[in-house]
Amino acid sequence: MAVDSSYPTSFILPDLLSHCNYPLIYHPDGDEIAKQSVKWLESNCPDLSAKGRHALHGLKAGELTAFCYNNTTPDRLRIAADFLTYLFHLDDISDGMMTRETDGLSDVVMNALWFNDRYMPTNAHGKEQPAEELNPGKLARDFWTRCIADAGPGAQERFKEAFERFFESVNIQARARDAGVVSDFESYIDLRRDNSGCKPCFALIEYTLDIDLPNCVVEHHIFQELNRWANDLVAWSNDIFSYQVEQACGDSLNMVAILIKYHGHTLQSAVDYVGDLCAQTIAGFQHDREQLPSWGSQIDEMVEKYVEGLQNWIVGSLHWSFQTQRYFGTNGAEVKRTRFVPLLPHEV
């Protein structure tokens, strides 16, 4: 079969790391905690396939946790690592699900968060749950029960609200997949801010730092902008890093793919455009952090720690993306050095 020579076979990554001058810090207990989290998920997912187990070990979600929550206690780091490992697991099992299936997954997981002390299956018409709790619910209950033992009430509510919005966005994504619809650019941005999974992860910053921010801070527009900047950086850079894998399996829910489809971009110009957006997010984050008002020394100290946690997510996620095998296989270090990404062949 002839190969279409006009179709790109590679692209060059934007130099995202040069725009991010924040220090990269790794938790001293990160490696050991990462191993424990992998073991936790494996032992609680007996039906995980050999391919799934291999991907789990190459994922290195615990290492991402060690970059992003680098100044917490080992116990709290472990709970954060379990959640991130679980979150990626949910992302994998929800890919390709039909709308009804993602609805069911959402109900099972949120049931565990709202009724953490016992399983309470719903009998509502069309949402009936089995008498035996499904595995995603059991994992959520295990993680959440340990977390709320010493998480502040505000942080708990923010986590549940953010996780619920994550599932709502996954359901929207499933409906679009069912209908064969590709989002326009603006709609995609709104959806991506929820399905990136960043918002519940940012709520865990409070937990890992043992703080509980007051509403006057959380509702302040500059504080919300800082969260948005960090979320956008993680989500949009991820769309660049994950593009080669997603294009191989025909997944069009990606900012790069949408720019190519709707805005006349080539692959390289689309990647460069998203890279420019990422650079703007870092600049916006730094500008707005300098505009934060004062709420008094005690609250200001908590806010400073939290914003540093967002900073750790920005720099940690960028570097981790070359460490995990999720995007570049075992070639992450080479891609980080050269920024050259050969495209994977399309899956049949």
Side-chain angles (χ1 to χ4, degrees):
M1 179 183 293
V3 177
D4 183 358
S5 59
S6 66
Y7 190 82
T9 58
S10 63
F11 65 91
I12 303 297
L13 287 174
D15 189 8
L16 300 179
L17 297 179
S18 70
H19 296 290
C20 185
N21 298 317
Y22 301 131
L24 181 68
I25 303 171
Y26 192 78
H27 196 289
D29 297 300
D31 289 348
E32 179 57 33
I33 297 295
K35 292 176 185 176
Q36 293 173 14
S37 283
V38 168
K39 185 177 180 181
W40 171 75
L41 191 79
E42 276 192 309
S43 63
N44 286 287
C45 294
D47 296 330
L48 195 63
S49 67
K51 181 180 179 181
R53 293 179 189 277
H54 178 75
L56 173 62
H57 283 267
L59 171 63
K60 302 184 185 297
E63 285 82 347
L64 173 62
T65 312
F67 282 127
C68 297
Y69 309 101
N70 55 57
N71 55 352
T72 188
T73 64
D75 288 343
R76 291 180 187 240
L77 181 68
R78 168 63 194 278
I79 289 174
D82 285 356
F83 174 69
L84 261 70
T85 302
Y86 173 65
L87 182 63
F88 279 106
H89 176 64
L90 286 180
D91 184 55
D92 288 341
I93 64 177
S94 66
D95 273 351
M97 277 187 171
M98 307 297 279
T99 306
R100 181 177 176 84
E101 294 172 314
T102 58
D103 275 338
L105 180 63
S106 171
D107 289 344
V108 165
V109 175
M110 295 309 299
N111 182 299
L113 269 59
W114 288 109
F115 306 107
N116 59 281
D117 58 336
R118 64 198 182 283
Y119 176 49
M120 294 182 62
T122 178
N123 295 315
H125 179 67
K127 290 183 172 289
E128 296 86 356
Q129 293 175 332
E132 173 70 19
E133 187 172 26
L134 297 178
N135 187 257
K138 292 179 180 178
L139 286 165
R141 190 177 305 281
D142 180 279
F143 145 77
W144 188 237
T145 301
R146 287 180 284 136
C147 182
I148 62 175
D150 49 8
Q156 290 185 41
E157 291 304 309
R158 284 185 280 278
F159 178 88
K160 288 187 289 188
E161 179 183 350
F163 211 14
E164 199 153 33
R165 292 180 67 176
F166 166 78
F167 279 115
E168 289 172 359
S169 69
V170 169
N171 291 340
I172 293 172
Q173 180 177 334
R175 287 196 294 272
R177 187 188 301 119
D178 292 351
V181 174
V182 179
S183 300
D184 62 77
F185 190 70
E186 289 75 17
S187 298
Y188 175 76
I189 287 177
D190 289 340
L191 179 68
R192 191 71 173 105
R193 285 171 175 157
D194 285 325
N195 76 9
S196 68
C198 286
K199 291 179 180 178
C201 293
F202 292 172
L204 283 183
I205 294 175
E206 293 183 70
Y207 167 72
T208 59
L209 294 173
D210 193 19
I211 61 176
D212 201 31
L213 294 169
N215 288 338
C216 62
V217 171
V218 174
E219 296 171 359
H220 195 278
H221 67 281
I222 294 180
F223 182 85
Q224 293 179 352
E225 280 292 284
L226 288 170
N227 280 272
R228 184 183 64 80
W229 288 124
N231 190 346
D232 287 351
L233 183 282
V234 175
W236 297 347
S237 64
N238 180 261
D239 277 11
I240 297 175
F241 296 137
S242 64
Y243 176 77
Q244 70 143 339
V245 174
E246 292 176 352
Q247 63 83 33
C249 61
D251 188 348
S252 58
L253 198 69
N254 179 293
M255 184 178 284
V256 174
I258 290 170
L259 286 169
I260 294 171
K261 181 176 178 64
Y262 288 124
H263 296 270
H265 279 275
T266 65
L267 171 57
Q268 188 61 58
S269 69
V271 167
D272 291 343
Y273 184 89
V274 180
D276 288 342
L277 291 180
C278 291
Q280 292 170 29
T281 65
I282 296 175
F285 177 84
Q286 188 58 37
H287 174 270
D288 281 352
R289 102 188 279 177
E290 295 169 2
Q291 310 305 312
L292 279 168
S294 173
W295 290 274
S297 59
Q298 185 175 4
I299 294 177
D300 287 354
E301 183 179 357
M302 290 192 291
V303 172
E304 182 179 357
K305 289 179 179 178
Y306 179 89
V307 173
E308 185 176 298
L310 293 176
Q311 170 187 298
N312 290 334
W313 258 99
I314 290 173
V315 64
S317 66
L318 287 176
H319 285 269
W320 169 84
S321 296
F322 299 100
Q323 183 175 339
T324 177
Q325 295 179 20
R326 191 174 180 87
Y327 311 122
F328 307 116
T330 57
N331 297 320
E334 178 68 9
V335 173
K336 187 177 186 180
R337 184 181 68 84
T338 65
R339 297 192 284 123
F340 178 78
V341 183
L343 289 184
L344 297 170
H346 287 268
E347 297 178 0
V348 179

